[in-house]
Amino acid sequence: MDNAAGTVDSDYVEDLQLIRSIREDDSFWDCIFEAKLDFLNNDADPFQASCVRPEIADSWVRSYNSGLKPDDSDLGEHITEDELQRVLAENAEIADTARSLIKNVESLNLQNDYIFELLDASGIALVQIGNLDQHQFVGPLYRCDEGNVGTNAHTLCMRYKKPFVVVGPEHYCFALQGLIACAAPVIDQSDTSIAALTLTQSIPEGPLSPSDEKVLVHAMSLVSSLAIALSDQLRINQQEVKLAETEQKYSQASLEAQRFESISRTVINAVKDGVLICNAEGSITLATPEAAHLLKIPPEDLMGTNARSLVGDGRSFEEIVEQGGSTTVIIDEELHETKISQIFGSKSELEGFIISLKEAKRTTLGASRGKVGDTADILFKDILGESTQINKAKALASRFARSTENILLMGESGTGKELFAQAIHNQACPNGPFMSINCAAIPPRLIESELFGYESGSFTGAEKGGKPGKIELAEGGTLFLDEIGDMPLELQATLLRVLENKRVIRVGGKTYKQIDFRLIAATNQNLPKLVSEHRFREDLLYRISVLTVNLPPLRDRIGDALYFARFFLNECQIRTGNGRVTLSDEAAHFVSVYAWPGNVRQLKHAIYSAYYTCENGVINIDDFPLYIAQNLNHRAPAEHLGSEPSGALTQNESSSSVKVQDGCAPASNTASEPFCVAQDSPLPTLSLSDLERIAINEAIRQADGNIAAAAAILDISKATLYRKLKDS
Ligand SMILES: Nc1ncnc2c1ncn2[C@@H]1O[C@H](COP(=O)(O)OP(=O)(O)OP(=O)(O)O)[C@@H](O)[C@H]1O
């Protein structure tokens, strides 16, 4: 039988031999006794005596060295009743368990006086059962160890962590010579002897009878088995206690967790912003109703969804946190401000993120980069129109925005190229700078320094300390090159190089700087035609036109002209706070069929003008600016409404002029010349510059010669108007 307290039979082999030797050999008992006397009186080495076991010899030496007299009869160290009670209280569990195990020991047919004891590690009796009362030292108020009772079975069994028998003369003290004691250790979970079970019997001096031997062997096995059982039971008890403690801790922890979760939920739900909690990988574990509302995704669908792809701005959450934690993202065409914080575990490891989410004001756009650059606050949802043509263009541009490629926007003047550029920028990198240059509006000699920047003293008038160019400033954002068709040919080669290696060198500079930016170029010119005329580099065209969005002219966008007219009327109403103004049937028809060569911009100004001009809250054709109203005689028949789109700028057509529809006189130099409404062929043409000149004249006329007011009507700056007047 193997276990922690030892192997009953094998552990007793030496003891059995000893007992057998004592029974079979009359002189064995005396041999031990003589050896002890020889050791005590003559300093003889007890290890040399063949009848003395080495453990016993060792114990004699220790007992001797402790100063104990072998002929002492007052053995053991007296302890107080208080100390005993304290020890009993400390060992109550082992004592109770032992008691229940040894209660039947009386039923053993022990022939001699005996005492069955459980002694703690220091030798104090915790339990005593038996009738051996003539030896006072075994009384309860004694501590019995090797130092005060000499060689004994319980000390040795605990020392060697195995059952031990000490017979008559093996005891160091003569007073114990009439006893035989079998002891076995009680061993705890950490393999320490914490107590000993001992059966001590009186034994007649001299050889043992066969029945004595039998009883002794039986007693040894019993003690050993009981000690093993006691050790096991204690271990089980300890495990049960641990289990109960663990269960209690667990249930306390889960109660705490529930309480914490309910508090967190209450707090989180009380926050007005939407809140998402996700793990370190980004998988969402909690989403408040407001977050689900803002994201337009049901809360249950949000669980497990990756927050990194849902509310990211191109940077990793870790990067965002490192750079301040705030960012602006566009989700479902709406602008949102997000704040991201990290959640750390008890060992400072990243456990996840808390993301708060709220609708943002446009002013937050670019805020996290210090608002470098031009204003770009247009989102795709601001690009109006109900026609499939504009919606297709928006969908395409929005798809392109997700790439990092350059984008080319082609469309006639006023079709919304600038709006598209801003919307693409805000969808792709709302936190980055939006740098814009109109190549047609800047004198060619200045474009280079504007674009590339310059070093100090690189030309007369250069700012001290140099100046970064727009490309450099577009780092992390967008460079919008409007009217790219007007870029000087010699600069096109430099621009191509910059686009190819994303490195820029300032004018007069010596070192290149790596810049991460996206180019959005726009033009109302037919670039392939410019290429064929050697006014635009073919390689640059290929480079910038990989992703091209053609913006349809208003005349091709079925239903949009009327939609815009009503929208702009409403805008005027809100702006002025005046009453409602409507279009007469005739005016509405006219708006629908007019070709609007200046597209949305022209329509907008025409409606604004008519709004202020009309009387009685109804706009008639006469209320439109003169150059439009004069087309009355040439407007399309009503049945022309909804006809197929015509005249859209394509890469194969020249867009520098606008097609003028059937029945219209060709453009003239005066504002009094009629304009055209959309009709079928034949199609004479009117150049954009003619249109512009006429629009400018009309605006000045309406503004009674006030340039600032005329510029406002034209939706351009006063400076631009002056420049245009100068150029024309
Ligand atoms: N789809 C649209 N929704 C709302 N407004 C629009 C739309 N398209 C154009 N506009 C308005 O028309 C005007 C001209 O737009 P924008 O400047 O973007 O056009 P563009 O194509 O860049 O013109 P240009 O080539 O002359 O620079 C602006 O006032 C703009 O608000």
Side-chain angles (χ1 to χ4, degrees):
M1 177 167 43
D2 268 345
N3 68 43
T7 312
V8 177
D9 296 336
S10 62
D11 283 347
Y12 271 120
V13 169
E14 288 168 10
D15 303 278
L16 288 169
Q17 267 169 6
L18 171 79
I19 290 166
R20 181 152 302 138
S21 303
I22 293 173
R23 184 174 67 76
E24 288 172 352
D25 181 354
D26 292 356
S27 63
F28 205 85
W29 183 285
D30 292 337
C31 174
I32 300 168
F33 185 66
E34 293 298 331
K36 187 166 70 181
L37 285 183
D38 218 16
F39 161 64
L40 292 172
N41 300 331
N42 309 321
D43 260 356
D45 184 357
F47 292 94
Q48 300 302 322
S50 59
C51 55
V52 179
R53 291 179 287 171
E55 294 92 338
I56 296 292
D58 214 19
S59 174
W60 286 351
V61 173
R62 281 196 304 273
S63 303
Y64 178 83
N65 289 340
S66 72
L68 183 67
K69 300 273 181 308
D71 48 2
D72 263 2
S73 55
D74 186 15
L75 297 178
E77 178 199 342
H78 192 66
I79 58 166
T80 63
E81 181 64 39
D82 283 355
E83 192 174 356
L84 177 66
Q85 290 312 320
R86 182 183 59 75
V87 173
L88 289 177
E90 276 172 9
N91 294 282
E93 188 201 350
I94 181 171
D96 290 346
T97 314
R99 238 177 252 115
S100 67
L101 284 173
I102 62 180
K103 62 179 178 237
N104 296 326
V105 81
E106 277 136 341
S107 64
L108 276 173
N109 203 8
L110 295 170
Q111 291 164 351
N112 305 317
D113 293 341
Y114 75 94
I115 187 149
F116 208 101
E117 291 173 293
L118 173 72
L119 297 126
D120 79 349
S122 74
I124 294 175
L126 304 170
V127 176
Q128 286 187 320
I129 299 171
N131 55 10
L132 187 74
D133 57 3
Q134 67 268 47
H135 300 283
Q136 272 196 354
F137 70 90
V138 292
L141 290 176
Y142 284 88
R143 170 182 288 116
C144 303
D145 60 25
E146 209 173 53
N148 55 41
V149 299
T151 305
N152 68 81
H154 68 261
T155 302
L156 290 177
C157 85
M158 285 195 278
R159 183 181 188 94
Y160 294 108
K161 274 203 253 171
K162 66 178 191 109
F164 219 98
V165 173
V166 175
V167 180
E170 287 185 323
H171 289 100
Y172 179 76
C173 290
F174 301 126
L176 305 180
Q177 259 184 199
L179 299 174
I180 180 163
C182 318
V186 179
I187 293 178
D188 72 0
Q189 268 185 320
S190 55
D191 201 31
T192 307
S193 300
I194 54 167
L197 265 182
T198 315
L199 177 64
T200 308
Q201 296 175 77
S202 58
I203 187 171
E205 222 167 280
L208 294 172
S209 69
S211 67
D212 283 341
E213 184 190 353
K214 219 170 163 187
V215 170
L216 269 173
V217 171
H218 186 56
M220 282 190 305
S221 298
L222 176 80
V223 170
S224 198
S225 307
L226 284 177
I228 289 167
L230 186 53
S231 301
D232 287 348
Q233 188 57 50
L234 287 174
R235 228 168 279 141
I236 291 168
N237 290 354
Q238 279 171 4
Q239 276 163 2
E240 277 174 358
V241 168
K242 268 199 181 151
L243 199 68
E245 278 173 4
T246 311
E247 267 173 15
Q248 201 188 351
K249 272 189 201 154
Y250 176 76
S251 71
Q252 256 174 3
S254 76
L255 271 177
E256 273 298 303
Q258 275 173 15
R259 210 167 64 86
F260 181 72
E261 208 203 311
S262 125
I263 293 172
S264 314
R265 257 183 198 286
T266 315
V267 171
I268 286 169
N269 285 336
V271 176
K272 264 192 8 234
D273 301 352
V275 177
L276 295 174
I277 295 183
C278 65
N279 63 21
E281 285 72 49
S283 176
I284 295 174
T285 52
L286 185 146
T288 61
E290 178 61 11
H293 166 74
L294 289 172
L295 295 166
K296 300 192 178 78
I297 300 176
E300 58 277 13
D301 291 354
L302 276 175
M303 293 299 138
T305 305
N306 198 312
R308 289 178 187 268
S309 54
L310 208 59
V311 293
D313 69 352
R315 293 176 289 168
S316 70
F317 280 1
E318 287 81 352
E319 266 178 282
I320 296 174
V321 171
E322 214 170 274
Q323 291 160 15
S326 299
T327 186
T328 308
V329 290
I330 291 172
I331 303 164
D332 202 21
E333 295 201 2
E334 298 288 349
L335 201 59
H336 292 84
E337 204 182 322
T338 60
K339 283 211 173 78
I340 302 178
S341 322
Q342 289 167 311
I343 308 170
F344 291 104
S346 54
K347 289 178 191 135
S348 305
E349 75 284 14
L350 179 68
E351 276 199 344
F353 299 90
I354 297 186
I355 304 145
S356 72
L357 204 61
K358 66 175 176 192
E359 270 176 17
K361 295 205 172 71
R362 310 253 165 158
T363 46
T364 60
L365 281 166
S368 66
R369 292 205 194 220
K371 282 208 163 280
V372 177
D374 300 298
T375 306
D377 55 6
I378 297 294
L379 307 178
F380 276 113
K381 67 171 182 162
D382 304 317
I383 299 177
L384 305 176
E386 291 179 326
S387 63
T388 44
Q389 290 87 343
I390 190 69
N391 283 320
K392 269 188 186 168
K394 276 167 72 176
L396 185 67
S398 165
R399 268 208 309 283
F400 287 174
R402 277 173 234 140
S403 80
T404 51
E405 281 295 327
N406 304 321
I407 296 175
L408 177 62
L409 303 171
M410 289 181 72
E412 294 173 11
S413 179
T415 47
K417 296 185 292 296
E418 162 101 37
L419 300 189
F420 268 76
Q422 291 191 20
I424 292 169
H425 165 78
N426 283 328
Q427 177 157 314
C429 48
N431 299 288
F434 180 78
M435 305 306 303
S436 124
I437 290 193
N438 186 327
C439 303
I442 299 180
R445 63 191 165 77
L446 287 186
I447 296 184
E448 184 178 20
S449 59
E450 274 290 301
L451 260 184
F452 305 109
Y454 54 83
E455 290 299 352
S456 178
S458 51
F459 55 84
T460 323
E463 270 180 38
K464 231 181 169 184
K467 198 176 164 207
K470 297 251 179 177
I471 298 180
E472 213 175 301
L473 293 171
E475 164 69 31
T478 305
L479 174 70
F480 176 48
L481 284 185
D482 204 359
E483 313 286 12
I484 194 165
D486 288 308
M487 172 166 281
L489 204 53
E490 60 280 10
L491 277 190
Q492 292 178 17
T494 320
L495 176 64
L496 181 65
R497 270 200 307 281
V498 172
L499 293 179
E500 238 132 48
N501 52 32
K502 290 275 159 88
R503 288 189 321 162
V504 72
I505 184 167
R506 292 185 187 182
V507 175
K510 290 193 177 64
T511 50
Y512 281 95
K513 196 170 176 188
Q514 203 72 32
I515 310 290
D516 173 29
F517 71 100
R518 184 224 291 267
L519 173 75
I520 302 179
T523 185
N524 57 13
Q525 304 193 62
N526 186 328
L527 292 184
K529 185 158 179 268
L530 294 189
V531 169
S532 68
E533 290 165 1
H534 305 293
R535 287 162 57 205
F536 201 82
R537 288 183 70 107
E538 191 172 16
D539 44 9
L540 181 60
L541 175 62
Y542 293 145
R543 185 83 213 171
I544 63 173
S545 64
V546 179
L547 304 181
T548 299
V549 185
N550 285 302
L551 304 191
L554 196 49
R555 61 182 170 278
D556 285 352
R557 292 160 54 176
I558 299 159
D560 272 357
L562 206 50
Y563 168 85
F564 273 116
R566 292 188 173 130
F567 175 84
F568 291 135
L569 272 183
N570 192 43
E571 218 175 52
C572 289
Q573 235 165 275
I574 293 168
R575 209 181 274 181
T576 58
N578 292 342
R580 200 166 118 78
V581 172
T582 55
L583 292 165
S584 70
D585 287 351
E586 203 186 11
H589 179 211
F590 175 76
V591 164
S592 300
V593 298
Y594 186 63
W596 297 112
N599 292 293
V600 184
R601 181 188 287 117
Q602 188 192 17
L603 170 66
K604 185 173 171 179
H605 295 146
I607 293 292
Y608 274 33
S609 168
Y611 177 87
Y612 290 108
T613 311
C614 78
E615 290 169 358
N616 306 324
V618 178
I619 292 177
N620 290 304
I621 295 205
D622 298 348
D623 297 320
F624 284 112
L626 189 61
Y627 67 91
I628 291 176
Q630 281 177 334
N631 287 296
L632 256 181
N633 301 329
H634 305 284
R635 68 184 189 272
E639 59 272 22
H640 186 77
L641 278 173
S643 65
E644 282 302 300
S646 64
L649 181 79
T650 69
Q651 276 183 278
N652 300 323
E653 287 175 330
S654 164
S655 59
S656 59
S657 62
V658 174
K659 289 186 177 166
V660 181
Q661 311 290 315
D662 183 30
C664 296
S668 82
N669 288 340
T670 67
S672 59
E673 285 294 332
F675 268 69
C676 304
V677 292
Q679 286 193 15
D680 292 327
S681 60
L683 304 174
T685 56
L686 185 68
S687 79
L688 268 180
S689 56
D690 284 343
L691 281 169
E692 186 176 274
R693 198 168 46 252
I694 292 163
I696 289 172
N697 289 341
E698 174 60 13
I700 294 172
R701 186 192 64 76
Q702 281 183 40
D704 286 336
N706 181 325
I707 294 296
I713 291 172
L714 292 166
D715 196 17
I716 55 177
S717 70
K718 220 164 74 174
T720 310
L721 181 52
Y722 273 124
R723 186 172 56 75
K724 285 183 183 292
L725 286 169
K726 200 165 139 260
D727 290 349
S728 61

